[in-house]
Amino acid sequence: MLELAILGFLYGAPLHGYSLRRHIAALTGHVRPVAESTLYPAIKRLEKAGLLLRTPEPGAVAAPRHVLRLTEEGRSELRRRLAEPAQREITDENQWFTLLAFLRHLEDPAAQAAVLRRRLSFLEEPASFFYEGDRPLRAEELEDPFRRGVLTIARATSRAELAWLRDTLASLDRAAP
């Protein structure tokens, strides 16, 4: 997820490490804060893989700052990851939001629609956070108001996302050649 976010934010424009960290924190920080101890090793891995370049720039006060920019290989890798997301990137809400934030960089409407259809298929499967044996429980079946709250909120979120997915897929299908 972190590497996808790095590639996604740098796809649009080169950034300094500090700015990149702020962008990633705005997208995922409320769930998974981005520490320097995880961000900079990820940047180094991507740089070593030839997916991004780090160029020093004179600093405003003393030390030089590094500008990060994607290589053409990095741009291709982002598009590949967007077109072929791992199953957990479809099913895990936080990873899904990261993927969704950059899906516009996958320029083919049919490829975008294929990713959205995978999410739609996942959301259409009966599921719950709570089960009786193998049977998913509905909010109305729970006496615990807090668990009922979890399911009520999840249902509302799921309904909103399903409506958005269906509308967006219809729009993408109209745009596809």
Side-chain angles (χ1 to χ4, degrees):
M1 185 173 83
L2 178 59
E3 289 184 2
L4 182 67
I6 292 168
L7 294 172
F9 280 118
L10 292 177
Y11 193 93
L15 294 168
H16 293 92
Y18 177 75
S19 296
L20 178 61
R21 184 172 174 221
R22 279 196 354 251
H23 288 310
I24 294 170
L27 180 63
T28 65
H30 65 286
V31 177
R32 296 186 179 127
V34 181
E36 287 183 26
S37 62
T38 56
L39 177 62
Y40 290 101
I43 288 171
K44 285 182 183 187
R45 281 192 307 275
L46 293 171
E47 183 180 23
K48 186 175 180 180
L51 303 179
L52 64 83
L53 295 172
R54 190 172 11 178
T55 312
E57 252 186 19
V61 178
R65 295 170 16 147
H66 291 96
V67 175
L68 305 167
R69 60 180 39 81
L70 286 186
T71 63
E72 193 50 48
E73 292 83 8
R75 297 172 82 73
S76 294
E77 177 64 12
L78 174 66
R79 290 188 297 265
R80 185 198 65 75
R81 288 184 185 193
L82 293 171
E84 303 167 8
Q87 185 61 17
R88 71 183 175 282
E89 293 171 329
I90 297 294
T91 60
D92 178 271
E93 185 173 280
N94 299 314
Q95 291 188 38
W96 168 247
F97 283 155
T98 301
L99 177 72
L100 192 57
F102 303 111
L103 198 57
R104 67 188 172 100
H105 297 310
L106 189 59
E107 296 171 5
D108 177 20
Q112 292 170 333
V115 174
L116 295 185
R117 280 191 179 82
R118 285 182 60 197
R119 178 68 176 183
L120 179 64
S121 176
F122 165 70
L123 289 178
E124 289 177 334
E125 288 293 316
S128 179
F129 294 106
F130 311 108
Y131 288 81
E132 187 174 273
D134 288 340
R135 186 178 67 82
L137 294 173
R138 295 183 350 254
E140 297 76 18
E141 299 176 279
L142 297 172
E143 291 186 27
D144 179 335
F146 306 107
R147 286 186 169 200
R148 192 170 50 246
V150 167
L151 293 182
T152 301
I153 293 165
R155 180 189 304 155
T157 302
S158 182
R159 284 180 179 163
E161 186 175 356
L162 284 165
W164 176 83
L165 281 166
R166 290 178 181 125
D167 288 346
T168 303
L169 281 166
S171 175
L172 290 170
D173 289 343
R174 287 190 299 274

